[in-house]
Amino acid sequence: MSSGEPDDGPEQPLVTTDPACDGGRMVQDEGPGAMLSGLRLDQLLDEVQERLGEMRQARDRVQGLLDAVLAVASGIELETTLERIVQAAVDLVDARYGGLGVLAPDGSLARFIDVGLDARTRAGLLGHPPEGKGLIGQLIVQPEPLRMADLESHAASVGVPPGHPEMHSFLGVPIRVRDAVYGNLYLTEKRGGGEFTADDEVMVQALAAAAGIAVQNADLFEQTRLRQLWLEALGEVRSAVLADAAEPDVLALLAQRTQELSRSVATVVALGPEAEGRFRIGARIGLDSDPELDGLLREVAGSRSAVLAATLDPPLDGFGPTVAVPLRAAERVIGVIVGLRGAGAPAFRPDEVPLLDSFAQQVALALELGERNRAQRQLVVLADRDRIARDLHDHVIQRLFATGLRLQSSLKLDGGPRVRERISQAVDDLDRTVREIRTSIFDLQTEGGDGVRRRLLDAVTEAGEGVRTSVRTAGPVDTVVPPELAAHVAAVAREAVANAVRHGHAGSVTVTLDLGPAELLLEVVDDGVGIPEGVARSGLHNLADRAAECHGALEVDRRPEGGTRLSWRVPL
């Protein structure tokens, strides 16, 4: 200013007022600072877009996780639920292969469900499913998430079988049900050649938590369904018992339902122990003959508890896993149910035993109740038969005897020969009637079905079908005649009556069994044509041989009035 020249001040940007530029407005020429500001704005926009992309990706992954959880929780059947868990995990983290190993109570793998392998590779190249060794076993021993870029780099890795698909990246996560490890999820070979990330691990852990709940629900549903099926089977057996079905039919139904519900290929129901600890096979399904099970049956009956075995001892060809439970009624064992699976089939699990054991106990109670009901009905029948026998003896026989005595006293009166003959015939008829009633009384009072009278009646009824038959017995034959002689008596009566019907053309046959002081007499009388001359007597030879075997004799005579009298005598 001292020079007197004007002060220009700060340098001003060049401003043009050319009307051709921007519609006549003034345009300021941008400098380097403005250009840098524009670049930073582009970077910020790119970052925002990247963050938005990450947010969209996170949203998609969360949505994928929710879809996977919904897919896993949509089923209530256990097997279907397990398959959905594996498929959902594979889809969630974009893995090529996935597997789920279900743990057995001893820590081994009970089942292995895989996704990604084709049927040919699974069946032909891999052979048996994994057994829980190597890297798979590592997750069983230490149930914590395990993630790595190359599974062969782990110290526990034992490689893969020949022909196995190539696998590198690996992610394993345990599935817990009620604070216990139910199984493990195995995911391998991230698509695109990358490796599983920490986000993948978090996602699979979340899915595993949801899967544990789904498995628990499916397991509860499975247990409820099985319990319902066992209850229905028990109801069928009870109905059969209460309907007084025959024992073989009840036991066959029991064996069939046990086979179906225990997933066995063969079932045996053994009854006992009887005398000397022996068992008898009451029913069997899936076996051509009675198996040798004495050792197993005695073990179950002695311990009064269920027995699980990998195979029978001695082994039974074609069969492997075995379960046996006792039929316990009150304080005793009345039998054993045995279930057999095929060789190489999955073993019976301990959690399968309680339902079968409870079923066996309820069936044993039903069988015991049925037996008591039958015994009670039998007692009622026997009491009724006793009453009838007593009435016959105390009233009917006494009146007949008194009538016979009166008729005999009438013989002393002078009524003429014809009157005396008729009275004598009436007395004989009354005596015969009394003997027949006494035979009926003895039969009514016979409790068992193996007595001599019962066997004799059955034999005569069977051989004399179509003709009138009458059976008379005298003396305590059921208590005096030994069993081996009783068998001869029934056989002789059957053959003698059959001969009278077939060869003698008899219309009526009377069989009398008389027990004397020192001998037994079986007499068979018919009204047929008698024994023709020259007819083959092979049947009579058999009867004579039986008499000789018992140190007795056989006599066969033609009756003057027609027919045949056969007398078979043996000493006592």
Side-chain angles (χ1 to χ4, degrees), residues 82-97:
L82 297 178
E83 294 174 358
R84 286 177 175 170
I85 291 172
V86 184
Q87 188 62 56
V90 167
D91 295 339
L92 183 62
V93 298
D94 202 21
R96 187 179 300 275
Y97 306 107

Side-chain angles (χ1 to χ4, degrees), residues 47-65:
E47 291 179 4
V48 170
Q49 290 178 351
E50 184 178 354
R51 294 292 178 86
L52 289 175
E54 292 176 355
M55 293 175 63
R56 284 195 299 270
Q57 185 178 5
R59 180 202 63 190
D60 293 341
R61 300 200 69 176
V62 171
Q63 184 62 45
L65 176 61

Side-chain angles (χ1 to χ4, degrees), residues 39 41 52 54 83 90 98 126 148 181 202 253 264 287 289 309 338 345 374 449 454 482 500 519 539 551:
L39 291 174
L41 180 59
L52 289 175
E54 292 176 355
E83 294 174 358
V90 167
L126 295 184
M148 61 187 65
V181 177
V202 172
L253 176 62
S264 302
L287 292 166
S289 59
V338 181
R374 283 191 293 272
R454 170 52 55 194
E519 70 172 8
H551 308 287

Side-chain angles (χ1 to χ4, degrees), residues 239-383:
S239 298
V241 171
L242 295 178
D244 206 18
E247 181 185 88
D249 296 335
V250 175
L251 298 180
L253 176 62
L254 171 59
Q256 181 181 356
R257 291 294 177 264
T258 302
Q259 179 195 31
E260 295 169 352
L261 297 180
S262 66
R263 302 181 184 92
S264 302
V265 296
T267 308
V268 176
V269 179
L271 299 181
E274 298 176 347
E276 300 178 358
R278 294 180 180 178
F279 291 82
R280 65 179 180 90
I281 303 300
R284 53 179 168 81
I285 292 181
L287 292 166
D288 296 330
S289 59
D290 294 345
E292 179 61 40
L293 300 173
D294 286 347
L296 176 64
L297 299 179
R298 284 195 293 268
E299 180 182 357
V300 174
S303 64
R304 297 170 52 84
S305 59
V307 172
L308 289 174
T311 185
L312 285 174
D313 185 21
L316 191 60
D317 188 28
F319 296 95
T322 305
V323 61
V325 295
L327 289 167
R328 295 192 301 272
E331 297 299 324
R332 66 190 185 98
V333 175
I334 64 173
V336 178
I337 302 177
V338 181
L340 303 170
R341 287 179 178 170
F348 288 96
R349 302 192 307 272
D351 59 357
E352 295 178 289
V353 174
L355 285 177
L356 177 57
D357 190 46
S358 176
F359 173 71
Q361 289 190 48
Q362 296 299 320
V363 166
L365 291 175
L367 293 174
E368 188 78 0
L369 178 61
E371 184 63 28
R372 290 184 179 181
N373 288 340
R374 283 191 293 272
Q376 184 65 34
R377 290 193 297 269
Q378 185 67 17
L379 287 175
V380 172
V381 171
L382 292 176

Side-chain angles (χ1 to χ4, degrees), residues 6 100 233 252 307 332 357 456 491 523 530 543 569:
L100 192 157
V307 172
R332 66 190 185 98
D357 190 46
L456 182 61
E523 191 174 69
L543 302 184
R569 301 173 183 271

Side-chain angles (χ1 to χ4, degrees), residues 388-405:
I388 295 173
R390 186 171 57 252
D391 290 344
L392 287 173
H393 181 272
D394 294 344
H395 302 290
V396 178
I397 288 182
Q398 300 304 326
R399 289 175 183 174
L400 290 175
F401 189 70
T403 302
L405 289 177

